[in-house]
């Protein structure tokens, strides 16, 4: 990768991607404003002002094309940046702007993405979508029924309580998509303690018993005290590498991960870039699928399910022009099999509470529900048996998210507590064992969903049926009304780099309308 490509991928692409999540149209000026501190800090020479401006614009356009995003054709204003560069050069010192104002490439626009305002029409759309659901399918909790008997009132369903909260919000929130994240503290004011316990426990726990032969190997590991012992154990593990994929994965994982700690501490981990951490440290989450039909697709893949949901209401040009086709949210890894998405992974190379909240509480729940909708759209009868997973890595810890529909129309999000990566030989054993269990559980849950999907016949359903199986994720109106631009996406796609062309083209595949409704079986 060239210097320009590396610089663009690490700095510019994340900024464009974050802006695309909160703005319908993006200009070069928007991106330059976000990158102002970085541009000033890295400006090579004030005498090459024109050349450097052209170079930055070229980099920005290249990144936008690689992300399949068309930028508004507006001439950027460089006056503010030029003045700062001249001041910096005149005193021959680094920029003294406050650290709090410098760009953080891992969380740029994070606070904005957490505060997307709702218009009055958005609130009407939310209420209308939720009010049109079949009340006979609503989920009424036993704890709610008990309280209603005591107070001699009519019990309120989970959907109705979510609906009331959703329309009271002033900003976009997962509740408007009928997503109930049990770790979201807002629900403490909506449900009682007993109701939340019932919501969390419905359908059984997230984690499942792991295979006995693997459990025995993990018990052997529990008796060890150092990374060197685990390294030797992994090397000597007797297994058939062709047919015993799980044992082969365990052997390789122990050898690869323990090598960083054979001399005690490993300081190299903290300095690793995001892509390096995903490949070297967390690669075992992907490699466990080697030998199976599930493919872990990296390089910031676009979710087809999310793209289908975003484009579900596109219409032919008539009174108004056809809306521009939108790309789905990008995640660092997407797990696919049989044409459907079953899991995704998002990683941040350093601890960032804002990015963690945005990814774990907003981005991933929405993407997971879109994946869930895509599956039950094909086969409504497996709606209550389908689980979609997500991994959120923040710094050196991982959280597993589970999305499913236990009852009614509610997509419930549960998660396990964060499990940290080892830091030294002394803590390697006690940390690697739960991480191995996370990976195995993830594979078991994905395999279970895939088996149900493959073994159940598709239903023949009238596409004009108005009865919803699972309501789609809510999309603010301003994201639905982006007019077609003069530069088509096809021309932008032709300008993509070889590295990103496969991922961007996957988001443009035609899929059945995500918003098509069906009756439940």
């Amino acid at each position: 990768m060239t210097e320009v490509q590396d610089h663009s991928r690490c700095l510019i692409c994340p900024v464009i991607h974050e802006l695309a999540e909160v703005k319908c149209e993006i200009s070069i000026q928007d991106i330059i404003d976000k990158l102002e501190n970085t541009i000033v800090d890295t400006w090579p020479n004030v005498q090459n002002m024109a050349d450097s401006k052209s170079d930055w614009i070229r980099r920005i356009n290249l990144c936008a094309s690689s992300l399949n995003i068309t930028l508004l054709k507006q001439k950027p204003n460089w006056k503010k940046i030029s003045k700062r560069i001249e001041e910096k050069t005149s005193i021959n010192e680094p920029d003294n702007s406050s650290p709090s104002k410098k760009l953080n490439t891992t969380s740029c626009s994070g606070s904005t993405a957490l505060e997307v305002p709702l218009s009055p029409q958005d609130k009407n759309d939310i209420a209308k979508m939720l009010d049109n659901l079949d009340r006979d399918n609503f989920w009424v909790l036993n704890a709610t029924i008990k309280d209603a008997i005591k107070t001699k009132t009519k019990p309120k369903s989970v959907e109705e309580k979510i609906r009331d909260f959703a329309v009271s919000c002033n900003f976009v929130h997962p509740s408007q998509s009928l997503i109930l994240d049990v770790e979201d503290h807002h629900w403490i004011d909506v449900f009682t303690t007993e109701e939340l316990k019932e919501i969390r426990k419905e359908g059984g726990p997230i984690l499942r018993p792991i295979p006995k032969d693997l459990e025995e190997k993990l018990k052997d590991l529990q008796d060890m005290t150092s990374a060197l012992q685990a390294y030797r154990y992994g090397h000597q593990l007797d297994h058939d590498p062709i047919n015993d994929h799980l044992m082969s994965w365990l052997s390789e994982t122990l050898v690869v991960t323990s090598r960083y700690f054979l001399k005690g501490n490993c300081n190299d981990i903290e300095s690793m870039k995001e892509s390096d951490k995903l490949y070297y440290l967390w690669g075992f989450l992907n490699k466990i699928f080697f030998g199976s039909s599930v493919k872990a697709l990296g390089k910031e893949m676009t979710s087809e399910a999310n793209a289908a949901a975003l484009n579900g209401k596109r219409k032919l040009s008539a009174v108004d022009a056809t809306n521009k086709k939108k790309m789905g949210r990008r995640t660092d890894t997407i797990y696919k099999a049989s044409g459907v998405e079953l899991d995704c992974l998002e990683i941040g190379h350093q601890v960032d509470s804002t990015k963690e909240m945005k990814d774990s509480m907003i981005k991933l729940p929405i993407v997971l529900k879109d994946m869930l909708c895509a599956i039950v759209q094909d086969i409504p009868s497996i709606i209550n048996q389908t689980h979609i997973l997500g991994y959120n890595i923040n710094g050196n810890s991982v959280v597993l998210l589970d999305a499913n529909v236990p009852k009614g129309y509610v997509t419930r999000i549960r998660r396990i507590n964060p499990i940290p990566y080892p830091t030294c030989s002394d803590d390697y054993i006690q940390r690697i064992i739960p991480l191995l269990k996370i990976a195995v559980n993830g594979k078991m849950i994905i395999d279970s969903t895939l088996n149900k999907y493959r073994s159940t016949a598709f239903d023949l359903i009238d596409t004009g049926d108005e009865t919803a199986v699972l309501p789609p994720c809510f999309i603010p109106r301003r994201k639905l009304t982006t007019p077609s631009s003069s530069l088509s996406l096809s021309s932008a796609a032709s300008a993509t780099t070889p590295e990103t062309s496969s991922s961007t083209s996957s988001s443009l595949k035609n899929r059945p309308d995500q918003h098509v409704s069906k009756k439940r079986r």
Side-chain angles (χ1 to χ4, degrees):
M1 181 177 290
T2 67
E3 180 182 357
V4 172
Q5 290 172 327
D6 181 65
H7 189 69
S8 301
R9 184 174 179 83
C10 295
L11 293 179
I12 304 174
C13 286
V15 171
I16 297 176
H17 180 53
E18 294 288 344
L19 286 170
E21 292 185 354
V22 297
K23 299 189 69 173
C24 295
E25 296 181 331
I26 306 172
S27 66
I28 292 179
Q29 187 68 54
D30 294 328
I31 301 167
I32 289 175
D33 290 343
K34 286 290 182 183
L35 291 169
E36 179 182 332
N37 289 299
T38 301
I39 293 173
V40 172
D41 292 341
T42 60
W43 199 271
N45 190 332
V46 70
Q47 295 178 348
N48 295 327
M49 187 76 72
D51 291 341
S52 295
K53 289 179 183 178
S54 299
D55 187 48
W56 272 103
I57 293 175
R58 180 180 62 81
R59 293 175 180 179
I60 290 170
N61 283 324
L62 177 64
C63 287
S65 294
S66 72
L67 295 174
N68 218 8
I69 292 178
T70 302
L71 301 178
L72 292 176
K73 295 181 179 180
Q74 296 178 353
K75 186 177 181 180
N77 187 336
W78 291 90
K79 287 184 179 179
K80 186 177 180 181
I81 290 177
S82 298
K83 183 178 179 180
R84 287 185 59 187
I85 292 171
E86 289 172 359
E87 292 174 351
K88 185 178 88 167
T89 307
S90 64
I91 60 176
N92 196 27
E93 290 182 357
D95 177 46
N96 292 321
S97 59
S98 171
S100 64
K101 296 181 180 180
K102 290 184 179 288
L103 174 69
N104 183 339
T105 58
T106 63
S107 61
C108 52
S109 301
S111 59
T112 304
L114 288 172
E115 299 174 359
V116 180
L118 291 173
S119 68
Q121 188 59 54
D122 284 332
K123 292 191 176 187
N124 290 335
D125 292 343
I126 294 167
K128 182 178 179 181
M129 179 183 71
L130 301 183
D131 289 343
N132 285 340
L133 298 175
D134 184 357
R135 293 178 176 273
D136 292 338
N137 286 329
F138 282 4
W139 180 12
V140 182
L141 300 169
N142 292 328
T144 306
I145 295 174
K146 290 180 181 178
D147 290 340
I149 293 174
K150 292 179 182 178
T151 58
K152 297 181 180 180
T153 58
K154 182 180 178 181
K156 213 171 189 179
S157 67
V158 177
E159 287 85 351
E160 290 172 306
K161 292 189 176 186
I162 294 177
R163 184 256 188 219
D164 291 346
F165 173 75
V167 296
S168 71
C169 296
N170 294 319
F171 299 93
V172 171
H173 184 270
S175 62
Q176 292 136 16
S177 301
L178 270 184
I179 295 174
L180 196 164
D181 188 332
V182 295
E183 299 300 328
D184 188 338
H185 297 312
H186 285 105
W187 300 123
I188 296 175
D189 299 324
V190 177
F191 298 97
T192 67
T193 301
E194 292 302 315
E195 287 174 332
L196 287 174
K197 286 182 180 179
E198 186 175 342
I199 291 170
R200 186 186 297 272
K201 293 180 179 180
E202 181 65 36
I206 301 175
L207 302 181
R208 308 178 183 190
I210 64 177
K212 289 184 179 180
D213 55 344
L214 185 63
E215 183 66 42
E216 291 175 359
K217 303 302 180 186
L218 296 184
K219 287 182 180 179
D220 293 340
L221 274 177
Q222 193 71 57
D223 296 331
M224 301 177 190
T225 57
S226 69
L228 179 59
Q229 288 178 305
Y231 177 85
R232 290 171 175 167
Y233 182 78
H235 253 304
Q236 299 169 1
L237 194 61
D238 185 29
H239 65 282
D240 180 353
I242 298 177
N243 298 314
D244 196 346
H245 298 295
L246 202 56
M247 285 300 165
S248 179
W249 164 81
L250 177 62
S251 174
E252 179 186 3
T253 300
L254 292 175
V255 170
V256 171
T257 58
S258 62
R259 287 181 63 185
Y260 292 102
F261 309 102
L262 296 181
K263 294 183 180 180
N265 296 332
C266 181
N267 297 324
D268 295 337
I269 288 180
E270 297 299 327
S271 60
M272 282 185 179
K273 294 183 178 180
E274 183 177 293
S275 58
D276 292 334
K277 282 191 173 183
L278 179 57
Y279 182 79
Y280 293 109
L281 303 187
W282 302 100
F284 65 91
L285 293 173
N286 296 343
K287 291 180 180 179
I288 195 170
F289 294 103
F290 283 9
S292 75
S293 59
V294 177
K295 305 302 179 185
L297 307 175
K299 295 185 180 178
E300 293 192 342
M301 289 292 295
T302 298
S303 169
E304 292 182 7
N306 183 246
L310 289 172
N311 294 293
K313 291 187 176 180
R314 291 181 80 210
K315 297 180 290 187
L316 293 174
S317 296
V319 176
D320 297 318
T322 299
N323 290 335
K324 182 173 65 176
K325 191 167 185 178
K326 303 170 182 64
M327 61 179 248
R329 293 176 187 257
R330 291 182 179 272
T331 60
D332 293 291
T333 306
I334 288 179
Y335 303 81
K336 293 182 66 176
S338 292
V340 292
E341 298 166 343
L342 303 158
D343 188 359
C344 63
L345 180 149
E346 189 71 19
I347 183 172
H349 76 283
Q350 62 185 23
V351 176
D352 185 333
S353 59
T354 301
K355 177 176 170 58
E356 197 276 336
M357 179 177 289
K358 182 171 72 74
D359 288 346
S360 181
M361 305 296 288
I362 298 179
K363 179 178 180 178
L364 283 178
I366 294 294
V367 172
L368 295 182
K369 177 170 180 179
D370 285 336
M371 293 179 177
L372 186 59
C373 283
I375 290 177
V376 301
Q377 172 180 278
D378 292 337
I379 311 175
S381 59
I382 64 172
I383 185 172
N384 300 125
Q385 293 82 47
T386 300
H387 289 254
I388 303 294
L389 292 189
Y391 295 109
N392 186 53
I393 300 172
N394 187 37
N396 290 330
S397 296
V398 62
V399 173
L400 182 146
L401 289 77
D402 174 88
N404 76 317
V405 182
K407 287 185 177 180
Y409 297 101
V410 178
T411 298
R412 175 186 61 183
I413 303 291
R414 296 181 296 175
R415 64 195 75 212
I416 62 165
N417 58 300
I419 303 298
Y421 201 84
T423 61
C424 61
S425 177
D426 292 339
D427 67 19
Y428 175 81
I429 296 295
Q430 301 308 320
R431 295 193 177 194
I432 198 63
I433 289 177
L435 291 175
L436 294 172
K437 289 182 177 179
I438 286 177
V440 174
N441 266 275
K443 184 179 187 303
M444 293 171 63
I445 295 171
I446 288 177
D447 287 345
S448 176
T449 294
L450 181 59
N451 290 336
K452 287 183 175 67
Y453 181 78
R454 286 175 168 174
S455 61
T456 308
F458 277 49
D459 294 326
L460 298 178
I461 301 171
D462 181 359
T463 57
D465 195 327
E466 295 298 328
T467 306
V469 175
L470 195 60
C473 288
F474 167 72
I475 305 171
R477 281 191 168 238
R478 64 177 183 172
K479 281 201 171 187
L480 293 172
T481 56
T482 307
S484 298
S485 63
S486 58
L487 178 61
S488 66
L489 286 179
S490 59
S491 61
S494 65
T496 58
T497 61
E499 180 181 7
T500 57
S501 60
S502 61
S503 62
T504 53
S505 62
S506 66
S507 69
L508 300 176
K509 286 176 61 180
N510 291 326
R511 289 179 57 88
D513 187 348
Q514 182 69 40
H515 295 261
V516 171
S517 300
K518 302 178 186 146
K519 287 184 178 178
R520 294 196 179 187
R521 282 353 185 218

